[in-house]
């Protein structure tokens, strides 16, 4: 076999420094994983560099730290025999070649020293087991015992060992296979694919954080449906996100069918991903119909309906976020709100779009109104050109009205024009129920268009209706 040498992959000064440190310690050293893969794929060079040494990863890292110019942060994980250095925008991880399970996240700290090939065969995929030598005598030589280069050329994700072994070392690799397949546009080798199906139950032992890390990488791809479909087809999805899989299926009754809400959802996620990199807006698209399976009904006259699915869906959001350990505080309310309002803009059109309906929408959506409109547009997946045009035109009308009404009434960042304190002072009240009711009545009058959103008008209205509200509460 001819030797393949890629010194041009190693033109970052840091590699010379690692080489010098390794020589001083007298240990063979290699760069492996994503850095090598991405170089060979001619992608932008990764900032994460993984180093394997046939010695102590920690000792090597300590030496490299001393030799690196500038400020270097370091962390040493003695249990796992790994170390991490951060220098400028580089993150360099060091590990000693080992025989057993590779990943530092796995609970068993298996640190039995091994050869380079031992280490490579314990990695997730052949394309991630590619290594380049950092040693003087074969600087830049590709070390590829599992034909990773061929798999890279043929666009194949495949495990170096029997996939049952590779996946039992770290079941997260099953989701990583899907993530890499979608990110790189590769296919998963049939043996690896079948093993994912076979071992899917094992993902139960993983922390939700690790699963979500990979899942969100799939969600951030420019076409998330690629990975989502693979998650569904392998059965992995059902293991951690059964609500999504439940959307799949078309029922028929008396010749009437409804759309397949799973594949519709995937289209909506793809559509919105063309317009936004906001992960949570993508999540809103993913969950916008999540309440449908449990609200589905068949009516003799009108066929299938999903009444109230947006409300049920919005209620499901916090539960799903909690179970999947997603950031509860920052994003759950945003996603729930968008799910709850997801059908509103289009349904407004069914009747005349009144100013008050628009004001209510602006009031409820607040600053998220633009995101909501993006979601509604993405939700149009009909293949009937006439219908598509009709829906799009309708949304255009809503958008126009939103701008007009907002310019006039300033509802988007609605602040009650009369405060509770002012109400209490005027009517000589203590904090009590009527104060809130008067405030609410003023808000309602503005949204209904009885009075404009204006301080003086609101005060006049308060004087007019306040006494009656107080008396009705006595
Ligand atoms: N690795 C592994 N099993 C895992 C995670 C990682 O074998 N569960 C190995 C692979 O060799 C991988 C390397 O560790 O290439 C680095 O992992 P990571 O930084 O997660 O992935 P990259 O390959 O660098 O790719 P990306 O940066 O896209 O995540």
């Amino acid at each position: 076999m001819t030797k393949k040498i890629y010194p041009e992959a190693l033109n970052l000064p840091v590699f010379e420094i690692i080489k010098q440190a390794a020589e001083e310690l007298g240990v063979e050293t290699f760069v492996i994983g994503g850095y090598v893969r991405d170089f060979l794929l001619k992608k932008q060079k990764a900032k994460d560099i993984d180093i394997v040494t046939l010695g102590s990863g920690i000792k090597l890292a300590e030496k490299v730290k001393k030799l690196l110019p500038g400020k270097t942060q370091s962390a040493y994980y003695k249990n796992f025999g790994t170390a991490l250095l951060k220098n400028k925008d580089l993150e360099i991880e060091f590990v000693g070649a080992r025989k057993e399970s590779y990943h530092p996240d796995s609970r068993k700290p298996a640190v039995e020293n091994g050869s380079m090939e031992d280490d490579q065969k314990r990695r997730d995929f052949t394309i991630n087991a590619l290594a380049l030598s950092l040693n003087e005598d074969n600087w830049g030589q590709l070390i590829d015992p599992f034909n990773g280069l061929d798999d890279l050329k043929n666009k194949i994700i495949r495990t170096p060992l029997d996939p049952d072994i590779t996946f039992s070392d770290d079941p997260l690799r099953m989701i990583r296979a899907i993530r890499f397949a979608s990110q790189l546009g590769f296919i998963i080798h049939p043996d690896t694919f079948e093993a994912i199906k076979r071992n899917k139950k094992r993902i139960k032992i993983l922390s939700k954080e690790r699963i979500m890390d990979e899942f969100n990488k799939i969600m951030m791809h420019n076409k998330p449906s690629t990975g989502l479909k693979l998650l569904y087809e392998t059965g992995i999805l059902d293991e951690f996100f059964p609500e999504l899989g439940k959307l799949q299926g078309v029922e028929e009754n008396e010749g009437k069918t409804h759309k397949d809400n799973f594949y519709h959802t995937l289209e909506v996620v793809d559509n919105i991903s063309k317009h936004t990199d906001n992960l949570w807006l993508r999540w809103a698209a993913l969950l916008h119909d999540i309440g449908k399976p449990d609200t589905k009904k068949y009516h003799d006259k009108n066929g299938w309906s999903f009444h109230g699915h947006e409300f049920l869906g919005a209620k499901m959001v916090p539960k799903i976020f909690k179970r999947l350990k997603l950031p509860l505080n920052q994003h759950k309310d945003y996603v729930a709100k968008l799910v709850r309002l997801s059908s509103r803009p289009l349904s407004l059109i069914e009747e005349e779009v009144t100013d008050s309906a628009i004001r209510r929408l602006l009031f409820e959506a607040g600053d998220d109104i633009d995101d909501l409109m993006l979601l509604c547009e993405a939700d149009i997946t009909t293949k009937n050109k006439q219908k598509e045009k009709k829906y799009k035109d309708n949304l255009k009308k809503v958008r126009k009205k939103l701008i007009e009404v907002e310019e006039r009434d300033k509802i988007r960042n609605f602040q009650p024009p009369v405060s509770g304190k002012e109400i209490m002072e005027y009517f000589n009240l203590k904090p009590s129920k009527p104060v809130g009711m008067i405030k609410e009545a003023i808000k309602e009058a503005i949204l209904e268009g009885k009075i404009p959103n204006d301080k003086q008008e609101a005060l006049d209205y308060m004087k007019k209706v306040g006494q009656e509200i107080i008396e009705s509460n006595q």
Side-chain angles (χ1 to χ4, degrees):
M1 212 170 58
T2 52
K3 284 181 187 160
K4 296 195 170 65
I5 301 175
Y6 300 93
E8 67 277 24
L10 307 177
N11 55 14
L12 292 178
V14 69
F15 289 118
E16 279 294 337
I17 292 173
I18 296 171
K19 175 183 159 206
Q20 191 188 329
E23 266 170 13
E24 283 176 30
L25 291 169
V27 289
E28 283 187 59
T29 299
F30 305 83
V31 53
I32 193 163
Y35 182 89
V36 182
R37 180 195 69 222
D38 289 350
F39 167 80
L40 292 168
L41 284 171
K42 301 191 173 59
K43 294 214 308 182
Q44 214 190 352
K45 273 195 199 126
K47 300 279 179 235
D48 290 356
I49 298 176
D50 291 290
I51 301 292
V52 186
T53 180
L54 304 188
S56 156
I58 292 184
K59 278 195 190 137
L60 180 60
E62 282 167 346
K63 200 153 231 32
V64 171
K65 186 180 177 184
K66 280 193 197 128
L67 295 172
L68 274 174
K71 207 170 161 315
T72 305
Q73 284 175 295
S74 56
Y76 300 98
Y77 307 96
K78 295 239 155 63
N79 264 357
F80 301 109
T82 64
L84 185 68
L85 297 185
K86 289 189 192 176
N87 183 282
K88 299 204 186 89
D89 55 350
L90 289 181
E91 283 199 17
I92 317 161
E93 188 167 329
F94 295 81
V95 61
R98 51 181 92 188
K99 259 194 181 139
E100 269 303 319
S101 170
Y102 162 74
H103 204 261
D105 283 347
S106 84
R107 290 207 184 92
K108 36 182 180 177
V111 237
E112 198 187 333
N113 293 343
S115 68
M116 190 54 196
E117 189 168 329
D118 287 334
D119 186 281
Q120 283 171 293
K121 70 177 168 213
R122 283 297 178 178
R123 288 183 177 258
D124 52 3
F125 307 113
T126 57
I127 60 165
N128 287 345
L130 290 159
L132 294 175
S133 164
L134 298 180
N135 308 300
E136 176 67 38
D137 54 354
N138 58 352
W139 177 253
Q141 186 183 322
L142 185 71
I143 317 291
D144 179 19
F146 305 103
N147 299 320
L149 192 60
D150 286 343
D151 284 346
L152 213 54
K153 284 187 182 139
N154 299 322
K155 298 179 178 263
I156 291 173
I157 306 287
R158 176 200 332 238
T159 54
L161 293 180
D162 175 342
D164 288 334
I165 298 174
T166 301
F167 293 150
S168 81
D169 276 355
D170 180 4
L172 187 71
R173 291 167 168 175
M174 294 186 274
I175 307 181
R176 283 171 64 87
I178 292 169
R179 192 256 287 181
F180 282 117
S182 76
Q183 263 181 351
L184 302 173
F186 282 24
I187 60 150
I188 301 175
H189 188 277
D191 294 346
T192 304
F193 193 87
E194 284 309 309
I196 297 179
K197 281 184 170 169
R198 223 173 19 249
N199 290 287
K200 63 180 185 195
K201 293 255 176 268
R202 301 249 349 196
I203 74 145
K204 288 260 191 282
I205 65 163
L206 298 170
S207 74
K208 293 291 186 304
E209 286 87 348
R210 290 188 75 209
I211 296 180
M212 282 299 114
D213 225 37
E214 289 296 332
F215 185 80
N216 283 337
K217 284 184 184 166
I218 292 172
M219 285 295 287
M220 284 313 288
H221 183 249
N222 54 22
K223 199 167 175 250
S225 66
T226 316
L228 293 169
K229 261 186 214 150
L230 287 171
L231 285 172
Y232 179 70
E233 285 161 10
T234 50
I236 291 274
L237 192 63
D238 266 351
E239 298 301 319
F240 68 97
F241 208 158
E243 298 90 340
L244 263 189
K246 234 176 118 181
L247 289 171
Q248 201 275 327
V250 177
E251 239 186 290
E252 190 187 320
N253 205 345
E254 296 169 340
K256 287 183 187 153
T257 55
H258 60 78
K259 67 178 169 230
D260 183 310
N261 288 306
F262 179 71
Y263 290 104
H264 161 71
T265 293
L266 297 195
E267 267 190 86
V268 179
V269 176
D270 282 353
N271 285 346
I272 207 148
S273 302
K274 288 180 200 139
H275 301 283
T276 183
D277 281 338
N278 173 352
L279 173 64
W280 304 106
L281 182 49
R282 292 178 176 205
W283 263 89
L286 187 71
L287 297 181
H288 81 287
D289 273 349
I290 206 75
K292 277 196 168 170
D294 290 335
T295 51
K296 181 159 92 174
K297 284 208 176 71
Y298 184 80
H299 307 262
D300 290 340
K301 247 178 151 183
N302 302 327
W304 296 100
S305 80
F306 303 89
H307 283 307
H309 77 85
E310 305 89 341
F311 293 95
L312 180 68
K315 269 198 190 159
M316 291 166 74
V317 170
K319 290 181 196 152
I320 292 173
F321 266 56
K322 194 160 175 226
R323 198 189 68 232
L324 296 177
K325 303 245 164 63
L326 288 165
L328 272 178
N329 299 334
Q330 301 106 298
H331 306 296
K332 119 190 146 253
D333 293 341
Y334 166 83
V335 174
K337 184 206 266 184
L338 290 181
V339 170
R340 183 167 50 79
L341 297 175
S342 57
S343 314
R344 184 82 79 78
L346 256 187
S347 69
L348 285 182
I349 279 292
E350 277 161 19
E351 298 132 38
E352 180 62 3
V353 203
T354 62
D355 284 8
S356 65
I358 291 283
R359 274 191 296 269
R360 282 191 187 281
L361 181 62
L362 275 166
F363 175 75
E364 286 186 54
D367 271 342
D368 300 320
I369 186 72
D370 297 328
D371 290 355
L372 177 65
M373 294 306 287
L374 267 187
L375 175 58
C376 289
E377 245 146 38
D379 199 6
I380 302 174
T381 60
T382 173
K383 301 292 168 278
N384 176 328
K385 286 284 161 213
Q386 259 174 323
K387 274 194 187 168
E388 183 187 341
K389 184 171 175 337
K390 189 178 105 192
Y391 295 148
K392 286 197 169 155
D393 286 348
N394 285 350
L395 280 186
K396 259 190 215 147
K397 275 189 217 155
V398 174
R399 272 187 192 275
K400 205 165 148 249
K401 268 250 145 157
L402 280 166
I403 294 169
E404 275 168 30
V405 171
E406 177 57 21
E407 266 178 13
R408 193 180 61 224
D409 299 339
K410 305 272 176 289
I411 302 291
R412 195 172 158 144
N413 287 306
F414 185 83
Q415 298 292 337
V418 181
S419 71
K421 197 166 161 253
E422 285 166 309
I423 297 171
M424 287 192 280
E425 272 169 14
Y426 184 80
F427 292 106
N428 198 15
L429 288 171
K430 293 210 166 63
S432 54
K433 201 171 154 203
V435 181
M437 288 170 76
I438 294 170
K439 230 172 144 183
E440 181 66 19
I442 296 170
K443 184 196 95 191
E444 278 297 312
I446 294 170
L447 295 181
E448 272 306 305
K450 281 192 201 157
I451 58 167
N453 186 9
D454 168 84
K455 174 104 187 177
Q456 193 50 49
E457 298 265 0
L459 279 171
D460 292 347
Y461 188 75
M462 171 196 81
K463 291 174 194 166
K464 203 166 110 198
V465 300
Q467 200 53 41
E468 205 177 311
I469 292 176
I470 295 165
E471 280 163 18
S472 72
N473 258 279
Q474 272 162 0

